[in-house]
């Protein structure tokens, strides 16, 4: 069958588009199963609200699918509904299937109110979706009731079959990387935690299942062979099984995959050995859910971690040259200026190099959402409103929008004001093995202040001076091409062209074939009026567009 799998758009713009840019892994896992069973499958990432309705309709007409599946997180449900309506207008016979965490927890709501949706896949999608497609292909609607993990209308009413069993042998599933280029991968499924704000345990289950280390690394190697060098490891807690994680990292090192990756973990699930192996294997960032500095609020969120565990995890992570990022949630039950002050105090103690601040949302499938339904005596029909989500504070008379916005401002101001000090306080482990990795760590960090995300944040003071210090710290550990390049560009911006040429000369002595260093050196030499030297250098980069333009400029200057 001809099948489209669509990741639909969201209603509201994002401060950080990275949060929604990549399609969920599940859509690729389902697509891989369908492809290996002979179906014609295409994945469309339509997360951007700016996509025109005319474009959507033109693509749907051109593709002419028999089945369309939608990956619904929750906040993109209206995008899915609108695209489904367009698809039904074009071809009333097309079968529309919703799946994902948002569809799973609101299956009855969708089938009750939205006739354009024909089926809901609940839970993990590989098995139910594949069996549904087979039944559709065989024109055997009677088989639908025997497919676990499916919901549809029976006699005009929403009906749900028995839950599908979660996949136990993850290695038996097809590798999405055989068919698609994707950046998000996962070693495990499931989460042993039961945080009150998170829908993951209700969707994946609290029993954690895992790929073997060999299969997981084989998937990374397959994607690496396609040219991908950076990955997001999206497990809820990547380091839960420490032995398996060390095995994964050893294999990455042994196979010389030369990749970088970011992971998510818990502060009570890391130690020296795990962090050392993760860094050797290319991990450059770990995100931890800290949520709040208030022990009382953490209890209300059922976040079972302690402040000492938080402090230890952040100290250890950054000792090994891994950027430790903190997730914080504010606007929680019992939130006040005092609890925000506690969060700021903890933040200043752990000195995160990255922080993400979320207002507490209420999502179906979570304990906080169920509590809100009881308190406010509302049903899932509340989602008939054209909104992405419901903030907790909107349901709590003790909190106002003005208060919560002020809490967010306090947190962000404290983070940005403290960030230069957090950086200056870094004290990596003194071990010769890690010196090249520390150089990489400091040069990456410098680049964020010089040319990356932090360069655009006005609230961070003295960014050029901070970047220069970090580049210099990198070179104090080991020659690093990125550090030489960053310093060269930094000095060019400041008009320090001789200083730029000097540092780039040193860089080229270590990395003589680095085109970026050569082109940057060419710029500095041209700024110094040394066109003949610049031309000789730029002619060594014949395939580099900027080098070719600059070489032509040198020739004109020499006439």
């Amino acid at each position: 069958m001809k099948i489209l799998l669509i990741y639909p758009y969201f209603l509201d713009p994002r401060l950080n588009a990275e949060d929604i840019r990549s399609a969920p892994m599940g859509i690729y896992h389902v697509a891989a199963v369908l492809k290996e069973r002979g179906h014609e499958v295409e994945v469309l990432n339509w997360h951007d609200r700016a996509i025109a309705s005319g474009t959507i309709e033109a693509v749907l007409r051109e593709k002419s699918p028999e089945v369309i599946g939608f990956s619904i997180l929750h906040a993109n449900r209206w995008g899915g509904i609108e695209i489904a309506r367009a698809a039904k207008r074009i071809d009333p016979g097309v079968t529309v299937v919703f799946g994902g965490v948002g569809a799973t927890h609101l299956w009855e709501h969708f089938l009750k109110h939205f006739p354009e949706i024909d089926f809901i896949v609940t839970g993990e999608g590989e098995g139910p979706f594949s069996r549904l497609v087979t039944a559709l292909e065989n024109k055997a609607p009677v088989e639908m009731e025997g497919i676990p993990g499916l919901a549809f209308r029976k006699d005009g009413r929403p009906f749900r079959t028995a839950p599908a069993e979660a996949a136990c042998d993850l290695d038996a599933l097809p590798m999405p990387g055989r068919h698609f280029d994707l950046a998000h991968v996962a070693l495990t499924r499931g989460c042993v935690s039961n945080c009150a704000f998170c829908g993951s345990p209700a969707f994946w289950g609290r029993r954690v299942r895992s790929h073997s280390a060999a299969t997981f690394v084989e998937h990374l190697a397959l994607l690496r062979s396609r040219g991908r060098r950076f990955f997001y490891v999206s497990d809820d807690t990547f380091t839960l099984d420490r032995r398996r994680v060390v095995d994964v990292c050893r294999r990455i090192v042994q196979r010389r995959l030369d990749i970088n990756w970011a992971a998510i973990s818990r502060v009570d699930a890391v130690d020296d050995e795990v962090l050392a192996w993760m860094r050797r294997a290319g991990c450059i960032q770990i995100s931890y859910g800290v949520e709040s500095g208030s022990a009382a609020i953490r209890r209300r969120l059922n976040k079972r971690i302690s402040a000492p565990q938080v402090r230890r995890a952040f100290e250890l992570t950054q000792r090994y040259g891994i950027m430790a990022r903190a997730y914080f949630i504010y606007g929680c039950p019992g939130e006040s200026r005092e609890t925000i002050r506690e969060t700021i105090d903890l933040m200043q103690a752990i000195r995160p190099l990255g922080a993400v601040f979320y207002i507490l949302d209420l999502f179906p499938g979570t304990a906080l959402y169920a509590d809100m339904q009881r308190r406010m005596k509302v049903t899932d029909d509340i989602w008939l409103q054209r909104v992405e989500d419901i903030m907790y504070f909107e349901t709590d008379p003790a909190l106002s929008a003005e208060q919560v916005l002020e809490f967010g401002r306090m947190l962000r101001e404290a983070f940005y004001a403290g960030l230069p000090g957090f950086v200056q306080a870094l004290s990596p482990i003194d071990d010769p093995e890690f010196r090249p990795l520390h150089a990489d760590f400091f040069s990456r960090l410098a680049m964020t202040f010089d040319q990356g995300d932090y360069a655009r944040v006005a609230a961070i003071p003295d960014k050029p001076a901070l970047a220069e210090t970090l580049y210099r710290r990198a070179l104090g550990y080991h020659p690093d091409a990125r550090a030489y390049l960053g310093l060269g560009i930094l000095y060019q911006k400041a008009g320090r062209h001789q200083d730029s040429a000097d540092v780039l000369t040193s860089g080229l002595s270590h990395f003589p074939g680095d085109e970026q260093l050569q082109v940057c050196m060419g710029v500095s030499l041209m700024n110094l009026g040394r066109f003949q030297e610049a031309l000789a250098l730029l002619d060594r980069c014949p395939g580099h567009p900027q080098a070719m333009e600059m070489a032509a400029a040198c020739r004109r200057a020499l006439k």
Side-chain angles (χ1 to χ4, degrees):
M1 298 190 81
K2 194 171 185 181
I3 302 166
L4 283 185
L5 298 180
I6 298 176
Y7 175 44
Y9 53 79
F10 295 71
L11 293 181
D12 301 331
R14 292 302 191 273
L15 288 175
N16 186 357
E18 182 183 317
D19 291 345
I20 61 169
R21 185 178 293 122
S22 296
M25 290 181 297
I27 201 170
Y28 292 107
H29 280 274
V30 170
V33 170
L34 294 171
K35 272 184 171 288
E36 298 202 0
R37 295 191 179 180
H39 298 288
E40 184 181 343
V41 185
E42 187 173 353
V43 175
L44 299 179
N45 186 342
W46 281 351
H47 76 275
D48 190 348
R49 184 68 182 87
I51 187 169
S53 59
T55 301
I56 290 171
E57 295 201 10
V59 171
L60 293 176
R61 290 182 191 279
E62 177 197 344
K63 305 291 184 184
S64 190
E66 298 166 88
V67 178
I68 306 178
F70 291 88
S71 179
I72 305 299
L73 299 178
H74 184 66
N76 65 345
R77 69 190 187 284
W78 281 106
I81 291 164
E82 290 171 358
I83 298 170
R85 286 173 177 166
K88 288 287 191 179
R89 282 196 302 271
I90 293 166
D91 178 8
V94 68
T95 299
V96 169
V97 186
F98 271 28
V101 63
T104 295
H105 295 314
L106 289 178
W107 68 270
E108 190 171 10
H109 168 80
F110 282 123
L111 292 172
K112 179 180 175 183
H113 295 289
F114 301 99
E116 49 276 336
I117 302 170
D118 299 306
F119 295 94
I120 305 283
V121 168
T122 60
E124 296 177 30
E126 293 97 338
F129 201 114
S130 178
R131 293 182 65 182
L132 170 62
V133 169
T134 299
L136 292 170
E137 195 171 32
N138 295 336
K139 296 181 170 51
V142 70
E143 295 181 9
M144 306 298 185
E145 292 185 31
I147 300 175
L150 202 60
F152 50 91
R153 296 177 193 83
K154 181 180 177 182
D155 300 325
R157 297 186 175 205
F159 171 81
R160 182 179 183 179
T161 66
E165 287 189 19
C168 293
D169 183 5
L170 299 187
D171 286 355
L173 298 173
M175 287 185 185
R178 291 186 187 134
H179 308 282
F180 304 98
D181 180 23
L182 60 156
H184 287 255
V185 294
L187 175 65
T188 65
R189 295 183 182 183
C191 183
V192 297
S193 303
N194 197 25
C195 301
F197 54 84
C198 181
S200 180
F203 182 80
W204 295 108
R206 293 185 65 189
R207 183 171 68 87
V208 175
R209 297 149 286 138
S210 182
H211 287 285
S212 66
T215 299
F216 180 71
V217 174
E218 189 61 39
H219 195 202
L220 292 175
L222 178 62
L223 291 164
R224 179 69 182 90
S225 70
R226 293 170 175 262
R228 182 165 292 282
R229 295 188 62 179
F230 184 82
F231 298 93
Y232 297 95
V233 180
S234 299
D235 302 57
D236 286 313
T237 307
F238 176 65
T239 58
L240 193 64
D241 183 341
R242 291 169 170 81
R243 295 297 97 208
R244 194 183 303 263
V245 169
V246 169
D247 191 6
V248 164
C249 294
R250 285 183 190 275
R251 290 169 184 267
I252 291 172
V253 172
Q254 288 165 358
R255 295 186 65 164
R256 294 183 172 89
L257 291 188
D258 189 24
I259 58 174
N260 293 121
W261 45 283
I264 303 168
S265 190
R266 283 177 58 95
V267 297
D268 56 359
V270 291
D271 58 29
D272 283 276
E273 183 186 19
V274 165
L275 291 168
W277 274 107
M278 288 175 70
R279 186 66 187 102
R280 292 182 185 111
C283 181
I284 60 172
Q285 177 181 283
I286 302 176
S287 297
Y288 296 102
V290 177
E291 321 314 355
S292 176
S294 164
I297 285 183
R298 291 198 302 273
R299 283 194 297 272
R300 293 184 188 112
L301 298 179
N302 204 31
K303 187 74 179 188
R304 298 181 177 181
I305 57 173
S306 67
Q309 288 173 327
V310 177
R311 288 193 290 268
R312 176 180 174 275
F314 275 75
E315 178 186 357
L316 283 180
T317 301
Q318 294 183 163
R319 281 188 68 206
Y320 286 95
I322 300 174
M323 179 175 174
R325 186 170 74 154
Y327 291 130
F328 293 102
I329 299 175
Y330 63 100
C332 301
E335 197 80 85
S336 66
R337 291 183 70 89
E338 288 70 29
T339 61
I340 293 296
R341 186 68 252 173
E342 288 181 88
T343 298
I344 291 171
D345 289 344
L346 181 59
M347 180 167 59
Q348 291 171 339
I350 65 176
R351 300 190 289 270
L353 299 180
V356 182
F357 302 97
Y358 293 109
I359 300 175
L360 179 60
D361 273 330
L362 300 177
F363 292 114
T366 66
L368 285 174
Y369 177 72
D371 176 69
M372 181 273 290
Q373 287 187 301
R374 288 191 295 270
R375 285 188 291 110
M376 302 188 68
K377 297 180 173 56
V378 296
T379 68
D380 288 336
D381 286 355
I382 196 169
W383 299 111
L384 291 172
Q385 301 174 70
R386 191 178 166 80
V387 296
E388 280 198 0
D389 46 29
I390 297 169
M391 305 291 182
Y392 170 79
F393 75 82
E394 295 172 323
T395 75
D396 187 341
L399 292 170
S400 68
E402 292 74 17
Q403 279 180 300
V404 173
L405 290 173
E406 173 65 9
F407 294 158
R409 184 195 63 76
M410 290 170 63
L411 290 167
R412 288 180 178 85
E413 284 187 359
F415 173 67
Y416 289 132
L419 190 54
F422 301 165
V423 169
Q424 299 285 7
L426 288 167
S427 181
I429 187 171
D430 185 11
D431 184 330
E433 178 193 359
F434 286 89
R435 294 183 75 83
L437 298 174
H438 292 342
D440 173 84
F441 168 66
F442 278 106
S443 68
R444 285 180 186 276
L445 190 56
M447 198 70 79
T448 65
F449 290 96
D450 182 22
Q451 301 173 38
D453 292 342
Y454 290 151
R456 296 183 287 274
V457 179
I460 301 174
D462 301 324
K463 291 186 285 292
L466 188 57
E468 181 178 3
T469 298
L470 291 168
Y471 286 133
R472 288 292 181 189
R473 284 198 72 177
L475 294 176
Y477 282 103
H478 195 269
D480 182 271
R482 186 188 301 108
Y484 285 119
L485 179 66
L487 273 176
I489 295 171
L490 193 69
Y491 291 153
Q492 286 172 358
K493 291 177 182 175
R496 296 166 58 183
H497 302 304
Q498 186 59 57
D499 289 338
S500 177
D502 290 344
V503 77
L504 291 167
T505 297
S506 179
L508 285 167
S509 71
H510 292 285
F511 306 97
D514 191 298
E515 280 197 346
Q516 287 183 296
L517 288 175
Q518 289 172 349
V519 172
C520 192
M521 181 64 165
V523 172
S524 290
L525 292 172
M526 291 173 71
N527 287 329
L528 292 168
R530 293 156 60 179
F531 295 102
Q532 193 68 56
E533 294 173 70
L535 181 59
L537 193 62
L538 294 166
D539 278 344
R540 289 158 55 183
C541 309
H544 195 291
Q546 186 184 0
M548 293 168 67
E549 288 181 20
M550 291 164 53
C554 287
R555 290 187 177 93
R556 289 193 297 270
L558 290 168
K559 284 183 180 178

